[in-house]
Amino acid sequence: MLRSNIWWLQGQDRDVVIDAGLGIVPLHREIPRMFERDPLLIITHTHLDHVGGAHEFKDIAVHDEEAHILITPGPVSLDTHTLYGILGIDVPPNEEPSMLRRVPNPGYDPTQYGLAPATPTRRLKDGDEITTLGTPMEVLATPGHSPGSICLYDHQRRWLFTGDTIYQGQLLDTIHGADQADYRRTMNLLSRLEVSAVFPGHGPGLGPGSLKTIADNYLSRS
Ligand SMILES: [Zn+2]
Ligand SMILES: [Zn+2]
């Protein structure tokens, strides 16, 4: 559940990184090249699996609604029962006691896991444009999974980065901060969007048909 995607986009002069992973290992150490061209980090939303490495970036954009969570992160845990408790949902049957399948090094202590505060340099709202890559990306406010969830839309390529709003698998719309009415409005918007490719926060990239299928399936639920 916490294995999330980091999308690294290389522009002419600067790079854009979308989401920062869980923060189990330092990104600077593991992917030093990602920091060479003054990257702008864009956070799709502030759940632990997307902001763990955020504090390593100097330039961070996040929706205004969740900027305070980046500055003052709430409690998090890699202990399954504790984490599900924080999220406000039941632990699924047969879940392992730890969210971590492997430790990065023998001395790693999962009980010491936490989120380091990060400083947003840009507070986003619906309709904002990010021009760091040369080709602009539009910020779409897509609340539902969380109040400040965003998608990023590259009009020219018709690429959509969706965070946890859209991915293959069970969408989380009952966790703390989620709002099903908002999610329905978001799915209405996304089901009508012209896309050529979708880059979600979890799992593989998706084609245009999958975006519409996932959104329409959500909307057809009573
Ligand atoms: Zn999330
Ligand atoms: Zn996630």
Side-chain angles (χ1 to χ4, degrees), residues 70-160:
L70 216 50
I71 299 165
T72 315
V76 290
S77 179
L78 297 175
D79 174 78
T80 302
H81 276 83
T82 309
L83 179 67
Y84 276 80
I86 291 167
L87 295 174
I89 50 176
D90 292 334
V91 180
N94 306 320
E95 196 69 283
E96 301 278 337
S98 172
M99 300 300 292
L100 215 54
R101 296 291 169 268
R102 264 189 303 162
V103 289
N105 55 69
Y108 184 83
D109 178 3
T111 65
Q112 296 302 304
Y113 173 75
L115 293 177
T119 308
T121 45
R122 189 165 169 192
R123 291 168 185 248
L124 302 172
K125 59 178 184 346
D126 188 50
D128 280 357
E129 265 200 354
I130 291 169
T131 54
T132 308
L133 290 175
T135 52
M137 284 196 296
E138 185 185 348
V139 175
L140 307 177
T142 53
H145 175 73
S146 75
S149 277
I150 58 166
C151 291
L152 295 157
Y153 186 46
D154 177 332
H155 285 264
Q156 201 172 317
R157 298 186 180 88
R158 291 186 292 131
W159 286 1
L160 185 70

Side-chain angles (χ1 to χ4, degrees), residues 1-4 45 47 49-50 145 163-164 167 172 201-202:
M1 188 172 91
L2 299 180
R3 185 190 299 162
S4 62
H45 67 300
H47 286 149
D49 47 330
H50 302 262
H145 175 73
D164 283 1
Y167 53 77
L172 300 179
H202 295 266

Side-chain angles (χ1 to χ4, degrees), residues 140 142 151 160 162 165-166 183-195 211-212 215:
L140 307 177
T142 53
C151 291
L160 185 70
T162 57
T165 299
I166 293 268
Y183 221 144
R184 290 184 71 83
R185 280 188 282 274
T186 285
M187 289 306 203
N188 253 312
L189 172 90
L190 295 181
S191 75
R192 291 195 301 266
L193 208 59
E194 283 281 324
V195 298
L211 174 70
K212 199 166 161 39

